[in-house]
Amino acid sequence: MSAATSSTITVMRQHRSIRQFTEQTVSDEQRNAIMASAQAASSSSFLQASAVIRISDPNLRERVMALCGNQAYVGSAAEFWVFCADFHRHLQWVPEAKTGFAEQLLIGAIDTALMGQNALTAAESLGLGGVFIGAVRNQPHELCDLLRLPKGVIPLFGLCLGYPAQDPEPKPRLPSSLMFCENHYPSEFDARQMQDYDQQVQHYYRTRTGGNKEMSWTGQIGDTLAKEARPFMLDFLRQQGFCVR
């Protein structure tokens, strides 16, 4: 094996989002190993500002799926977990703690994202697949009521896990030269590399969809950032005790 590769690197570089799953369940041993791997992620100031809710009740899963745009894989995956930023736990044990600062939102989001990525990488190393679900933020007030999330807790993303029933091609990533900078941020990026990457992404979508989608990466940026997404989010965050100061 090369000094620049390992079984872990191989798993990480072969990542694909899986949205079709077999009916095979995830064992308790596997689930516990994935949870332990998630908890091993780095944590800012060791605050461990996250909570994970496993949705095991079928009826509750159906209701959560409805709030997530009825994405079928939220219901069909063997496991569905909701990852939350959590400062409510801290206030239970240290009531005088000062919360509500914008920086704490960043801490909670970063800690939780690191946990989520650890969980998915661990699952993939066991032969499972998964996909993150940002749609848990589509109707956050309703989801908070459904999952009984108190003030100080916000749902950030979901994670479907299970045995893959599909074998999609990995999405092409940006050339490393367009993402990794040395010493300073460049004044401009190479236009030719971006054009080549646009063509690569367009080819990926074309072959993946049988010609039904002809989207380039810059075209996708234009569509995604054409308007504000989830304009209710700031009010929701403040309602849950985040970004109030």
Side-chain angles (χ1 to χ4, degrees):
M1 180 177 291
S2 166
T5 190
S6 66
S7 58
T8 302
I9 290 174
T10 298
V11 167
M12 295 172 75
R13 294 189 66 175
Q14 291 177 345
H15 164 72
R16 297 88 41 82
S17 291
I18 299 298
R19 294 177 172 84
Q20 295 176 23
F21 301 93
T22 71
E23 295 183 359
Q24 185 174 352
T25 59
V26 175
S27 70
D28 290 344
E29 183 179 16
Q30 290 173 317
R31 185 168 54 252
N32 291 337
I34 294 167
M35 289 178 172
S37 299
Q39 274 197 281
S42 299
S43 173
S44 179
S45 299
F46 202 47
L47 288 174
Q48 303 181 80
S50 306
V52 183
I53 300 176
R54 178 186 179 227
I55 310 298
S56 57
D57 181 277
N59 292 327
L60 181 60
R61 179 91 76 95
E62 285 286 329
R63 297 172 70 185
V64 171
M65 183 177 70
L67 294 178
C68 294
N70 282 310
Q71 297 180 79
Y73 30 93
V74 172
S76 63
E79 297 282 329
F80 185 69
W81 302 356
V82 178
F83 285 75
C84 306
D86 179 11
F87 280 92
H88 178 79
R89 184 194 304 119
H90 303 77
L91 290 170
Q92 283 191 313
W93 287 311
V94 187
E96 67 274 17
K98 304 299 182 184
T99 61
F101 298 101
E103 171 65 9
Q104 291 168 351
L105 173 62
L106 296 179
I107 289 172
I110 292 169
D111 272 19
T112 307
L114 293 174
M115 282 189 68
Q117 188 61 55
N118 262 27
L120 181 54
T121 300
E124 290 174 335
S125 76
L126 297 173
L128 303 171
V131 62
F132 289 112
I133 306 297
V136 299
R137 302 190 303 278
N138 283 358
Q139 301 182 66
H141 300 88
E142 293 83 351
L143 188 64
C144 280
D145 290 341
L146 197 59
L147 302 185
R148 303 175 189 171
L149 302 184
K151 191 171 182 178
V153 181
I154 51 171
L156 294 175
F157 55 88
L159 177 59
C160 297
L161 291 174
Y163 283 91
Q166 61 177 161
D167 187 22
E169 179 184 354
K171 278 185 178 179
R173 265 31 181 196
L174 278 166
S176 60
S177 59
L178 295 181
M179 184 167 284
F180 292 93
C181 313
E182 188 161 346
N183 297 324
H184 58 81
Y185 195 87
S187 58
E188 61 181 354
F189 289 100
D190 189 305
R192 169 52 63 182
Q193 283 191 310
M194 180 54 71
Q195 290 170 2
D196 291 344
Y197 180 64
D198 260 348
Q199 292 176 3
Q200 188 181 6
V201 171
Q202 199 165 19
H203 174 75
Y204 166 82
Y205 280 129
R206 185 185 303 120
T207 55
R208 176 179 170 178
T209 65
N212 291 323
K213 185 174 181 179
E214 291 276 343
M215 181 72 73
S216 67
W217 190 66
T218 52
Q220 188 164 326
I221 291 173
D223 279 4
T224 304
L225 303 183
K227 60 180 180 180
E228 180 184 6
R230 302 184 178 103
F232 49 79
M233 189 54 66
L234 183 58
D235 287 342
F236 167 71
L237 291 173
R238 288 173 173 165
Q239 173 187 299
Q240 289 299 105
F242 288 79
C243 295
V244 297
R245 46 189 166 180

